[in-house]
């Protein structure tokens, strides 16, 4: 697939999720009436997750093979390969999952869509935001990534965008805070 | 050690104390007030329980029996004096002050604490009169504030003072100026509904909760009998079971006794309780969701009865009406959702499609959804059909969820989160319709917020 310079899939490249088709229609638009622009998350996130996979699965495979082969019977050592098969499958799944993460800033709310098998689509009005958090763990920092989390008065609101570039995360944070202040509403 | 701590505690109080006329109080113009003088008695419980705990220790009792009566009497007197001093001192350290924007509570003898309760965060005010307090003629004022786990409370205030303070708090929160708020006094209330004891008793007995309590206690007792075969185990299980049944019947009856809903400019006033009286005032604009329930036996025997619950952010009371006929419920709900007619909402409900039975064979028939006027409505529940209403303006976020199973059937759930931390789910909608609901709900919530009454609704009324 073709990618932008940063490796972020931009609008048009990613198939807009069937969960988002309605938001393309004019009627559901914000006051500006522009087409909803979906953004993906950087490919670095996928690299990070794949690295985690590569770092965990082979040791697990070796451990299983050694333990089974030593404790039970040598023939069972082949079972360690199951982990490698699983890793190969996860390699594919991670890519699909990474591709499924996307978000869109509309005039009055933020849309987040994610998931391949279990699809979730979240709409958070800017006026309802209580707090925007930008976090970055050690692993994320190593890959130059940050996570943006929105909090509303409802803890059920699960509005998280992982693996953003720090600059984009900061921009989003400032933008959301600004829009949130402008449109803020009480409980 | 105790005296040391007390001395330092007292020493640190001196500079912080801002009585009337002192600089700290003068700046904001707030008058710092103390709690009712009966409070020290309640505060004195803490050291006394410590004494009782000590007396339970064997070595202390043995040591005590060696002493003669004179020493014992002196020790007892000392303990009483110490707890009285502790109670009085902790009472002396507790002040509250009301300003135009916040209620400040200063408290703590050893650990000083000042709570600033901002009035625009105030969700509801409750006056509680536990039995003992009722005998003395004092009351507790509980404040529901968003974003705090524990309720801040003023215990105890004189009954009249509590009522006046509540009225003033609510008036200030509603947007009156401080001068007006003090002059306004307690707003007049108009009674909307009152539950007769007989109706309440019938309703409580016929509620599903009783059935569940009986069932659990029976199963528990039989299980204890089978598994342990000991009389004590059976007795313990039976007692626990009886406790459950009592909570579902007698406890509930006493708590919901004489349930009265009245309408006042401050909000809906809920008075209830047989032994422990409670008076809660809920500003209608702070209600996040309303639920109308019809338990199984009610539906079979008293077709018209409903139970109405509500969600207010930061409040633990969730009951609006324990039992009422539909017309009364409609009248009460109209105070919160003035443009919503229950019957119309029910008529507008669209059930989940037939193919939803593939996902939830039994319950699918109960799922229904409607958008009607100012509310997002969803119903669910087999034994207790519950209709949940969320005003569009109160929606915090909208979510859609679809797993593989639902995708195969072309279904999707729509979830609406409210500020009281509840989620209302319109379950198993056709996938395309669900997307339209999500998009539409985002739009309705946006416009709904613009049309909604302001938080300080009185300021709007006063401006006219």
């Amino acid at each position: 697939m073709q990618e932008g310079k940063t490796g972020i899939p931009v609008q048009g490249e990613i198939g807009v999720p069937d969960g988002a088709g309605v938001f393309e229609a004019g009627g559901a638009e914000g006051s500006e009436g522009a087409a909803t622009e979906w953004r993906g998350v950087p490919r670095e996130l996928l690299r990070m997750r794949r690295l985690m996979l590569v770092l965990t699965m082979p040791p697990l495979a070796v451990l299983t093979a050694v333990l089974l082969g030593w404790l039970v019977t040598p023939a069972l050592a082949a079972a360690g390969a199951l982990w490698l098969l699983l890793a190969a499958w996860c390699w594919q799944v991670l890519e699909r999952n990474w591709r499924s993460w996307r978000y869109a800033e509309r005039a009055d709310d933020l849309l987040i869509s994610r998931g391949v098998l279990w699809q979730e689509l979240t709409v958070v009005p800017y006026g309802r935001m209580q707090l925007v958090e930008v976090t970055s763990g050690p692993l994320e920092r190593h890959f130059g990534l940050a996570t943006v989390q929105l909090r509303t008065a409802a803890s059920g609101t699960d509005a998280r965008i992982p693996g953003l570039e720090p600059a984009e995360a900061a921009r989003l944070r400032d933008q959301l805070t600004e829009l949130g202040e402008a449109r803020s509403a009480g409980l | 050690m105790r005296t040391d701590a007390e001395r330092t505690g007292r020493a640190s109080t001196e500079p912080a104390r801002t009585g009337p006329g002192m600089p700290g109080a003068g700046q904001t113009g707030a008058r710092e007030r103390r709690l009712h003088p009966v409070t020290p008695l309640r505060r004195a419980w803490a050291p006394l329980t410590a004494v009782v705990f000590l007396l339970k220790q064997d070595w202390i009792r043995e040591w005590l029996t060696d002493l003669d009566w004179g020493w014992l009497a002196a020790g007892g007197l000392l303990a009483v004096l110490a707890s009285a001093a502790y109670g009085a001192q902790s009472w002396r350290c507790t002040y509250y002050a009301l300003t135009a924007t916040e209620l400040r509570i200063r408290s703590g003898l050893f650990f000083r604490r000042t709570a600033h309760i901002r009035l625009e965060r105030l969700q509801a005010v409750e006056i509680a009169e536990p039995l003992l307090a009722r005998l003395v003629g004092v009351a507790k004022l509980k404040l529901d504030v968003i974003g705090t786990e524990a309720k801040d409370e003023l215990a105890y205030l004189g009954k009249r003072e509590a009522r006046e303070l509540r009225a003033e708090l609510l008036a200030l929160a509603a947007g009156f100026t401080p001068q007006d708020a003090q002059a306004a006094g307690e707003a007049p209330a108009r009674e909307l509904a009152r539950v007769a004891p007989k109706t309440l008793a019938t309703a409580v007995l016929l509620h599903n909760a009783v059935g569940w309590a009986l069932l659990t206690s029976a199963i528990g007792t039989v299980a204890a009998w089978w598994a342990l075969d000991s009389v004590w185990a059976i007795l313990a299980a039976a007692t626990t079971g009886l406790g459950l049944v009592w909570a579902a019947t007698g406890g509930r009856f006493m708590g919901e006794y004489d349930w009265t809903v009245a309408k006042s400019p401050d909000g809906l006033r809920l008075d209830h309780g047989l032994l422990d009286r409670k008076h809660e005032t809920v500003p209608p604009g702070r209600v996040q969701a309303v639920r109308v329930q019809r338990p199984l036996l009610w539906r079979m025997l008293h077709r018209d009865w409903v139970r109405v619950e509500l969600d207010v952010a930061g409040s633990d009371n969730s009951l609006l009406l324990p039992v009422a006929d539909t017309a009364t419920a409609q009248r009460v709900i109209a105070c919160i959702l003035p443009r919503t007619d229950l019957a119309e909402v029910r008529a507008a409900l669209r059930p989940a499609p037939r193919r939803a039975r593939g996902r939830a064979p039994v319950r699918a028939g109960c799922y229904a959804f409607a958008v009607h006027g100012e509310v997002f409505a969803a119903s669910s529940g087999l034994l207790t059909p519950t209709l949940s209403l969320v005003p569009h303006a109160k929606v915090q976020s909208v979510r859609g969820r679809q797993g593989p199973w639902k995708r195969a059937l072309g279904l999707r759930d729509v979830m609406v989160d409210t500020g009281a931390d509840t989620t209302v789910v319109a379950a198993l909608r056709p996938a395309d319709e669900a997307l339209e609901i999500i998009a539409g709900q985002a739009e309705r919530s946006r416009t709904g917020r613009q049309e909604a009454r302001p938080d300080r609704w009185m300021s709007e009324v006063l401006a006219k």
Side-chain angles (χ1 to χ4, degrees), chain A residues 18-19 108 116-117 119-121 123 125 128 154-157 187, chain B residues 146 393-394 396-402 407 418 421 435 446:
Chain A
D18 50 337
D108 288 287
V116 181
L117 277 183
Q119 288 185 351
E120 281 225 32
L121 175 67
V123 185
R128 288 312 194 185
S155 64
T157 306
L187 271 186
Chain B
I146 313 176
K394 297 293 176 192
Q396 295 284 329
S397 59
V398 192
R399 290 178 293 152
R401 182 177 285 171
Q402 183 185 47
R407 189 182 359 261
T418 75
D421 237 1
L435 286 176
R446 187 171 67 80

PDB file of all heavy atoms in Angstrom, chain A residues 18-19 108 116-117 119-121 123 125 128 154-157 187, chain B residues 146 393-394 396-402 407 418 421 435 446:
ATOM      1  N   ASP A  18     -16.967   0.745   7.374  1.00  0.00           N
ATOM      2  CA  ASP A  18     -18.410   0.822   7.110  1.00  0.00           C
ATOM      3  C   ASP A  18     -19.087   1.533   8.268  1.00  0.00           C
ATOM      4  O   ASP A  18     -20.166   2.066   8.142  1.00  0.00           O
ATOM      5  CB  ASP A  18     -19.001  -0.573   6.905  1.00  0.00           C
ATOM      6  CG  ASP A  18     -18.613  -1.549   8.001  1.00  0.00           C
ATOM      7  OD1 ASP A  18     -17.580  -1.292   8.640  1.00  0.00           O
ATOM      8  OD2 ASP A  18     -19.323  -2.531   8.211  1.00  0.00           O
ATOM      9  N   GLY A  19     -18.388   1.565   9.405  1.00  0.00           N
ATOM     10  CA  GLY A  19     -18.922   2.267  10.562  1.00  0.00           C
ATOM     11  C   GLY A  19     -18.921   3.765  10.389  1.00  0.00           C
ATOM     12  O   GLY A  19     -19.412   4.485  11.228  1.00  0.00           O
ATOM     13  N   ASP A 108     -17.768  19.747  15.881  1.00  0.00           N
ATOM     14  CA  ASP A 108     -18.211  19.742  17.275  1.00  0.00           C
ATOM     15  C   ASP A 108     -17.858  18.491  18.042  1.00  0.00           C
ATOM     16  O   ASP A 108     -18.095  18.424  19.237  1.00  0.00           O
ATOM     17  CB  ASP A 108     -19.731  19.948  17.344  1.00  0.00           C
ATOM     18  CG  ASP A 108     -20.095  21.349  17.006  1.00  0.00           C
ATOM     19  OD1 ASP A 108     -19.844  22.224  17.833  1.00  0.00           O
ATOM     20  OD2 ASP A 108     -20.595  21.586  15.886  1.00  0.00           O
ATOM     21  N   VAL A 116     -11.202  -4.680  14.394  1.00  0.00           N
ATOM     22  CA  VAL A 116     -11.458  -5.402  13.162  1.00  0.00           C
ATOM     23  C   VAL A 116     -12.641  -6.331  13.383  1.00  0.00           C
ATOM     24  O   VAL A 116     -13.668  -6.202  12.742  1.00  0.00           O
ATOM     25  CB  VAL A 116     -10.212  -6.202  12.745  1.00  0.00           C
ATOM     26  CG1 VAL A 116     -10.483  -6.936  11.442  1.00  0.00           C
ATOM     27  CG2 VAL A 116      -9.022  -5.286  12.605  1.00  0.00           C
ATOM     28  N   LEU A 117     -12.483  -7.234  14.329  1.00  0.00           N
ATOM     29  CA  LEU A 117     -13.593  -8.147  14.618  1.00  0.00           C
ATOM     30  C   LEU A 117     -14.607  -7.459  15.530  1.00  0.00           C
ATOM     31  O   LEU A 117     -15.803  -7.495  15.283  1.00  0.00           O
ATOM     32  CB  LEU A 117     -13.077  -9.409  15.303  1.00  0.00           C
ATOM     33  CG  LEU A 117     -12.518 -10.480  14.374  1.00  0.00           C
ATOM     34  CD1 LEU A 117     -12.113 -11.697  15.166  1.00  0.00           C
ATOM     35  CD2 LEU A 117     -13.547 -10.855  13.324  1.00  0.00           C
ATOM     36  N   GLN A 119     -15.730  -4.088  16.366  1.00  0.00           N
ATOM     37  CA  GLN A 119     -15.584  -2.701  15.925  1.00  0.00           C
ATOM     38  C   GLN A 119     -16.244  -1.771  16.909  1.00  0.00           C
ATOM     39  O   GLN A 119     -17.349  -2.018  17.366  1.00  0.00           O
ATOM     40  CB  GLN A 119     -16.232  -2.526  14.560  1.00  0.00           C
ATOM     41  CG  GLN A 119     -15.439  -3.168  13.466  1.00  0.00           C
ATOM     42  CD  GLN A 119     -16.033  -2.871  12.113  1.00  0.00           C
ATOM     43  OE1 GLN A 119     -17.124  -2.314  12.014  1.00  0.00           O
ATOM     44  NE2 GLN A 119     -15.323  -3.250  11.077  1.00  0.00           N
ATOM     45  N   GLU A 120     -15.533  -0.700  17.218  1.00  0.00           N
ATOM     46  CA  GLU A 120     -16.124   0.324  18.081  1.00  0.00           C
ATOM     47  C   GLU A 120     -16.025   1.654  17.405  1.00  0.00           C
ATOM     48  O   GLU A 120     -15.013   1.967  16.771  1.00  0.00           O
ATOM     49  CB  GLU A 120     -15.382   0.381  19.421  1.00  0.00           C
ATOM     50  CG  GLU A 120     -15.811  -0.717  20.351  1.00  0.00           C
ATOM     51  CD  GLU A 120     -16.059  -0.221  21.759  1.00  0.00           C
ATOM     52  OE1 GLU A 120     -16.485   0.946  21.947  1.00  0.00           O
ATOM     53  OE2 GLU A 120     -15.830  -0.988  22.684  1.00  0.00           O
ATOM     54  N   LEU A 121     -17.039   2.423  17.544  1.00  0.00           N
ATOM     55  CA  LEU A 121     -17.056   3.776  17.013  1.00  0.00           C
ATOM     56  C   LEU A 121     -17.488   4.681  18.152  1.00  0.00           C
ATOM     57  O   LEU A 121     -18.534   4.474  18.740  1.00  0.00           O
ATOM     58  CB  LEU A 121     -18.043   3.870  15.850  1.00  0.00           C
ATOM     59  CG  LEU A 121     -18.284   5.241  15.257  1.00  0.00           C
ATOM     60  CD1 LEU A 121     -17.046   5.742  14.563  1.00  0.00           C
ATOM     61  CD2 LEU A 121     -19.442   5.187  14.269  1.00  0.00           C
ATOM     62  N   VAL A 123     -18.108   8.634  19.608  1.00  0.00           N
ATOM     63  CA  VAL A 123     -18.293  10.047  19.308  1.00  0.00           C
ATOM     64  C   VAL A 123     -18.243  10.817  20.616  1.00  0.00           C
ATOM     65  O   VAL A 123     -19.043  10.571  21.508  1.00  0.00           O
ATOM     66  CB  VAL A 123     -19.655  10.306  18.629  1.00  0.00           C
ATOM     67  CG1 VAL A 123     -19.770  11.751  18.209  1.00  0.00           C
ATOM     68  CG2 VAL A 123     -19.851   9.381  17.449  1.00  0.00           C
ATOM     69  N   PRO A 125     -18.400  14.644  22.079  1.00  0.00           N
ATOM     70  CA  PRO A 125     -18.553  16.079  21.804  1.00  0.00           C
ATOM     71  C   PRO A 125     -17.460  16.856  22.547  1.00  0.00           C
ATOM     72  O   PRO A 125     -17.150  16.539  23.688  1.00  0.00           O
ATOM     73  CB  PRO A 125     -19.929  16.410  22.385  1.00  0.00           C
ATOM     74  CG  PRO A 125     -20.598  15.112  22.628  1.00  0.00           C
ATOM     75  CD  PRO A 125     -19.522  14.107  22.835  1.00  0.00           C
ATOM     76  N   ARG A 128     -18.061  18.196  26.052  1.00  0.00           N
ATOM     77  CA  ARG A 128     -18.208  17.274  27.174  1.00  0.00           C
ATOM     78  C   ARG A 128     -16.878  16.867  27.780  1.00  0.00           C
ATOM     79  O   ARG A 128     -16.836  16.100  28.726  1.00  0.00           O
ATOM     80  CB  ARG A 128     -18.940  16.019  26.711  1.00  0.00           C
ATOM     81  CG  ARG A 128     -20.402  16.245  26.451  1.00  0.00           C
ATOM     82  CD  ARG A 128     -21.004  16.967  27.594  1.00  0.00           C
ATOM     83  NE  ARG A 128     -22.458  16.944  27.564  1.00  0.00           N
ATOM     84  CZ  ARG A 128     -23.184  17.602  28.437  1.00  0.00           C
ATOM     85  NH1 ARG A 128     -22.608  18.339  29.351  1.00  0.00           N
ATOM     86  NH2 ARG A 128     -24.488  17.539  28.390  1.00  0.00           N
ATOM     87  N   ALA A 154     -18.389  10.645  32.095  1.00  0.00           N
ATOM     88  CA  ALA A 154     -18.787   9.237  32.084  1.00  0.00           C
ATOM     89  C   ALA A 154     -17.552   8.376  31.925  1.00  0.00           C
ATOM     90  O   ALA A 154     -16.776   8.580  31.003  1.00  0.00           O
ATOM     91  CB  ALA A 154     -19.758   8.978  30.935  1.00  0.00           C
ATOM     92  N   SER A 155     -17.372   7.418  32.833  1.00  0.00           N
ATOM     93  CA  SER A 155     -16.180   6.588  32.721  1.00  0.00           C
ATOM     94  C   SER A 155     -16.340   5.576  31.596  1.00  0.00           C
ATOM     95  O   SER A 155     -15.369   4.976  31.160  1.00  0.00           O
ATOM     96  CB  SER A 155     -15.897   5.878  34.035  1.00  0.00           C
ATOM     97  OG  SER A 155     -16.946   4.993  34.326  1.00  0.00           O
ATOM     98  N   GLY A 156     -17.566   5.394  31.133  1.00  0.00           N
ATOM     99  CA  GLY A 156     -17.785   4.478  30.019  1.00  0.00           C
ATOM    100  C   GLY A 156     -17.186   4.996  28.720  1.00  0.00           C
ATOM    101  O   GLY A 156     -16.854   4.224  27.829  1.00  0.00           O
ATOM    102  N   THR A 157     -17.025   6.302  28.630  1.00  0.00           N
ATOM    103  CA  THR A 157     -16.442   6.900  27.436  1.00  0.00           C
ATOM    104  C   THR A 157     -15.014   6.398  27.293  1.00  0.00           C
ATOM    105  O   THR A 157     -14.164   6.702  28.110  1.00  0.00           O
ATOM    106  CB  THR A 157     -16.401   8.431  27.565  1.00  0.00           C
ATOM    107  OG1 THR A 157     -17.700   8.879  27.871  1.00  0.00           O
ATOM    108  CG2 THR A 157     -15.919   9.064  26.295  1.00  0.00           C
ATOM    109  N   LEU A 187     -22.786  19.747  33.357  1.00  0.00           N
ATOM    110  CA  LEU A 187     -23.295  18.367  33.351  1.00  0.00           C
ATOM    111  C   LEU A 187     -24.779  18.341  33.065  1.00  0.00           C
ATOM    112  O   LEU A 187     -25.513  19.155  33.546  1.00  0.00           O
ATOM    113  CB  LEU A 187     -23.052  17.715  34.708  1.00  0.00           C
ATOM    114  CG  LEU A 187     -21.718  17.007  34.878  1.00  0.00           C
ATOM    115  CD1 LEU A 187     -21.703  16.309  36.205  1.00  0.00           C
ATOM    116  CD2 LEU A 187     -21.470  16.036  33.756  1.00  0.00           C
TER     117      LEU A 187
ATOM    118  N   ILE B 146     -20.228  16.842  42.206  1.00  0.00           N
ATOM    119  CA  ILE B 146     -19.604  16.050  41.147  1.00  0.00           C
ATOM    120  C   ILE B 146     -18.132  15.864  41.459  1.00  0.00           C
ATOM    121  O   ILE B 146     -17.475  16.765  41.951  1.00  0.00           O
ATOM    122  CB  ILE B 146     -19.628  16.758  39.793  1.00  0.00           C
ATOM    123  CG1 ILE B 146     -20.995  17.316  39.500  1.00  0.00           C
ATOM    124  CG2 ILE B 146     -19.180  15.852  38.666  1.00  0.00           C
ATOM    125  CD1 ILE B 146     -21.011  18.083  38.229  1.00  0.00           C
ATOM    126  N   ALA B 393     -29.429  16.451  25.802  1.00  0.00           N
ATOM    127  CA  ALA B 393     -28.445  17.420  26.271  1.00  0.00           C
ATOM    128  C   ALA B 393     -27.490  16.822  27.292  1.00  0.00           C
ATOM    129  O   ALA B 393     -26.449  17.392  27.562  1.00  0.00           O
ATOM    130  CB  ALA B 393     -29.156  18.621  26.875  1.00  0.00           C
ATOM    131  N   LYS B 394     -27.846  15.687  27.875  1.00  0.00           N
ATOM    132  CA  LYS B 394     -27.013  15.129  28.939  1.00  0.00           C
ATOM    133  C   LYS B 394     -26.048  14.069  28.434  1.00  0.00           C
ATOM    134  O   LYS B 394     -25.339  13.458  29.226  1.00  0.00           O
ATOM    135  CB  LYS B 394     -27.906  14.509  30.022  1.00  0.00           C
ATOM    136  CG  LYS B 394     -28.791  15.515  30.711  1.00  0.00           C
ATOM    137  CD  LYS B 394     -27.966  16.486  31.513  1.00  0.00           C
ATOM    138  CE  LYS B 394     -28.818  17.571  32.127  1.00  0.00           C
ATOM    139  NZ  LYS B 394     -28.000  18.656  32.660  1.00  0.00           N
ATOM    140  N   GLN B 396     -22.933  12.285  27.202  1.00  0.00           N
ATOM    141  CA  GLN B 396     -21.497  12.576  27.279  1.00  0.00           C
ATOM    142  C   GLN B 396     -20.756  12.050  26.061  1.00  0.00           C
ATOM    143  O   GLN B 396     -19.838  12.686  25.576  1.00  0.00           O
ATOM    144  CB  GLN B 396     -20.900  11.937  28.537  1.00  0.00           C
ATOM    145  CG  GLN B 396     -21.426  12.515  29.825  1.00  0.00           C
ATOM    146  CD  GLN B 396     -20.834  13.859  30.141  1.00  0.00           C
ATOM    147  OE1 GLN B 396     -19.712  14.155  29.793  1.00  0.00           O
ATOM    148  NE2 GLN B 396     -21.598  14.699  30.809  1.00  0.00           N
ATOM    149  N   SER B 397     -21.104  10.877  25.625  1.00  0.00           N
ATOM    150  CA  SER B 397     -20.492  10.338  24.418  1.00  0.00           C
ATOM    151  C   SER B 397     -21.411   9.263  23.849  1.00  0.00           C
ATOM    152  O   SER B 397     -22.241   8.706  24.558  1.00  0.00           O
ATOM    153  CB  SER B 397     -19.108   9.759  24.709  1.00  0.00           C
ATOM    154  OG  SER B 397     -19.197   8.736  25.658  1.00  0.00           O
ATOM    155  N   VAL B 398     -21.265   9.013  22.567  1.00  0.00           N
ATOM    156  CA  VAL B 398     -22.081   8.000  21.891  1.00  0.00           C
ATOM    157  C   VAL B 398     -21.126   6.966  21.325  1.00  0.00           C
ATOM    158  O   VAL B 398     -20.083   7.317  20.771  1.00  0.00           O
ATOM    159  CB  VAL B 398     -22.887   8.612  20.731  1.00  0.00           C
ATOM    160  CG1 VAL B 398     -23.920   7.626  20.241  1.00  0.00           C
ATOM    161  CG2 VAL B 398     -23.538   9.895  21.144  1.00  0.00           C
ATOM    162  N   ARG B 399     -21.449   5.702  21.503  1.00  0.00           N
ATOM    163  CA  ARG B 399     -20.572   4.668  20.989  1.00  0.00           C
ATOM    164  C   ARG B 399     -21.363   3.630  20.227  1.00  0.00           C
ATOM    165  O   ARG B 399     -22.534   3.393  20.517  1.00  0.00           O
ATOM    166  CB  ARG B 399     -19.839   3.972  22.140  1.00  0.00           C
ATOM    167  CG  ARG B 399     -18.801   4.852  22.810  1.00  0.00           C
ATOM    168  CD  ARG B 399     -18.168   4.131  23.957  1.00  0.00           C
ATOM    169  NE  ARG B 399     -19.109   3.900  25.032  1.00  0.00           N
ATOM    170  CZ  ARG B 399     -19.021   2.883  25.871  1.00  0.00           C
ATOM    171  NH1 ARG B 399     -18.076   1.992  25.736  1.00  0.00           N
ATOM    172  NH2 ARG B 399     -19.896   2.766  26.846  1.00  0.00           N
ATOM    173  N   GLY B 400     -20.725   3.014  19.268  1.00  0.00           N
ATOM    174  CA  GLY B 400     -21.334   1.897  18.572  1.00  0.00           C
ATOM    175  C   GLY B 400     -20.431   0.705  18.743  1.00  0.00           C
ATOM    176  O   GLY B 400     -19.222   0.858  18.776  1.00  0.00           O
ATOM    177  N   ARG B 401     -20.988  -0.467  18.910  1.00  0.00           N
ATOM    178  CA  ARG B 401     -20.141  -1.637  19.094  1.00  0.00           C
ATOM    179  C   ARG B 401     -20.723  -2.793  18.302  1.00  0.00           C
ATOM    180  O   ARG B 401     -21.928  -3.004  18.277  1.00  0.00           O
ATOM    181  CB  ARG B 401     -20.059  -1.999  20.573  1.00  0.00           C
ATOM    182  CG  ARG B 401     -19.147  -3.182  20.836  1.00  0.00           C
ATOM    183  CD  ARG B 401     -19.031  -3.478  22.293  1.00  0.00           C
ATOM    184  NE  ARG B 401     -18.175  -2.502  22.964  1.00  0.00           N
ATOM    185  CZ  ARG B 401     -18.061  -2.452  24.279  1.00  0.00           C
ATOM    186  NH1 ARG B 401     -18.770  -3.251  25.034  1.00  0.00           N
ATOM    187  NH2 ARG B 401     -17.265  -1.582  24.838  1.00  0.00           N
ATOM    188  N   GLN B 402     -19.820  -3.540  17.659  1.00  0.00           N
ATOM    189  CA  GLN B 402     -20.253  -4.672  16.856  1.00  0.00           C
ATOM    190  C   GLN B 402     -19.186  -5.751  16.896  1.00  0.00           C
ATOM    191  O   GLN B 402     -18.051  -5.511  16.514  1.00  0.00           O
ATOM    192  CB  GLN B 402     -20.475  -4.201  15.410  1.00  0.00           C
ATOM    193  CG  GLN B 402     -20.999  -5.272  14.507  1.00  0.00           C
ATOM    194  CD  GLN B 402     -21.092  -4.790  13.080  1.00  0.00           C
ATOM    195  OE1 GLN B 402     -20.162  -4.199  12.560  1.00  0.00           O
ATOM    196  NE2 GLN B 402     -22.216  -5.033  12.450  1.00  0.00           N
ATOM    197  N   ARG B 407     -22.087  -8.924  13.656  1.00  0.00           N
ATOM    198  CA  ARG B 407     -21.880  -8.547  12.259  1.00  0.00           C
ATOM    199  C   ARG B 407     -22.507  -9.587  11.345  1.00  0.00           C
ATOM    200  O   ARG B 407     -23.126  -9.251  10.338  1.00  0.00           O
ATOM    201  CB  ARG B 407     -20.399  -8.410  11.945  1.00  0.00           C
ATOM    202  CG  ARG B 407     -20.230  -7.811  10.570  1.00  0.00           C
ATOM    203  CD  ARG B 407     -18.820  -7.634  10.062  1.00  0.00           C
ATOM    204  NE  ARG B 407     -17.766  -8.030  10.929  1.00  0.00           N
ATOM    205  CZ  ARG B 407     -17.086  -7.197  11.685  1.00  0.00           C
ATOM    206  NH1 ARG B 407     -17.389  -5.922  11.687  1.00  0.00           N
ATOM    207  NH2 ARG B 407     -16.109  -7.641  12.438  1.00  0.00           N
ATOM    208  N   THR B 418     -23.871   8.699  30.112  1.00  0.00           N
ATOM    209  CA  THR B 418     -24.329   9.919  30.776  1.00  0.00           C
ATOM    210  C   THR B 418     -23.355  10.329  31.872  1.00  0.00           C
ATOM    211  O   THR B 418     -22.492   9.552  32.268  1.00  0.00           O
ATOM    212  CB  THR B 418     -25.713   9.730  31.419  1.00  0.00           C
ATOM    213  OG1 THR B 418     -25.541   8.953  32.607  1.00  0.00           O
ATOM    214  CG2 THR B 418     -26.669   9.038  30.505  1.00  0.00           C
ATOM    215  N   ASP B 421     -22.390   8.393  35.133  1.00  0.00           N
ATOM    216  CA  ASP B 421     -21.658   7.147  34.968  1.00  0.00           C
ATOM    217  C   ASP B 421     -22.554   5.970  34.670  1.00  0.00           C
ATOM    218  O   ASP B 421     -22.271   4.851  35.071  1.00  0.00           O
ATOM    219  CB  ASP B 421     -20.816   6.856  36.217  1.00  0.00           C
ATOM    220  CG  ASP B 421     -19.363   6.715  35.825  1.00  0.00           C
ATOM    221  OD1 ASP B 421     -19.087   6.874  34.635  1.00  0.00           O
ATOM    222  OD2 ASP B 421     -18.538   6.451  36.700  1.00  0.00           O
ATOM    223  N   LEU B 435     -25.846   3.079  12.817  1.00  0.00           N
ATOM    224  CA  LEU B 435     -24.924   4.142  12.411  1.00  0.00           C
ATOM    225  C   LEU B 435     -25.649   5.473  12.298  1.00  0.00           C
ATOM    226  O   LEU B 435     -25.140   6.518  12.692  1.00  0.00           O
ATOM    227  CB  LEU B 435     -24.272   3.794  11.084  1.00  0.00           C
ATOM    228  CG  LEU B 435     -23.220   2.703  11.191  1.00  0.00           C
ATOM    229  CD1 LEU B 435     -22.695   2.347   9.827  1.00  0.00           C
ATOM    230  CD2 LEU B 435     -22.099   3.162  12.092  1.00  0.00           C
ATOM    231  N   ARG B 446     -25.714  17.840  20.365  1.00  0.00           N
ATOM    232  CA  ARG B 446     -25.132  19.169  20.166  1.00  0.00           C
ATOM    233  C   ARG B 446     -26.220  20.241  20.233  1.00  0.00           C
ATOM    234  O   ARG B 446     -26.124  21.197  20.997  1.00  0.00           O
ATOM    235  CB  ARG B 446     -24.431  19.218  18.815  1.00  0.00           C
ATOM    236  CG  ARG B 446     -23.653  20.472  18.554  1.00  0.00           C
ATOM    237  CD  ARG B 446     -22.827  20.309  17.306  1.00  0.00           C
ATOM    238  NE  ARG B 446     -23.646  20.207  16.109  1.00  0.00           N
ATOM    239  CZ  ARG B 446     -24.170  21.253  15.495  1.00  0.00           C
ATOM    240  NH1 ARG B 446     -23.951  22.458  15.937  1.00  0.00           N
ATOM    241  NH2 ARG B 446     -24.911  21.096  14.426  1.00  0.00           N
TER     242      ARG B 446
END
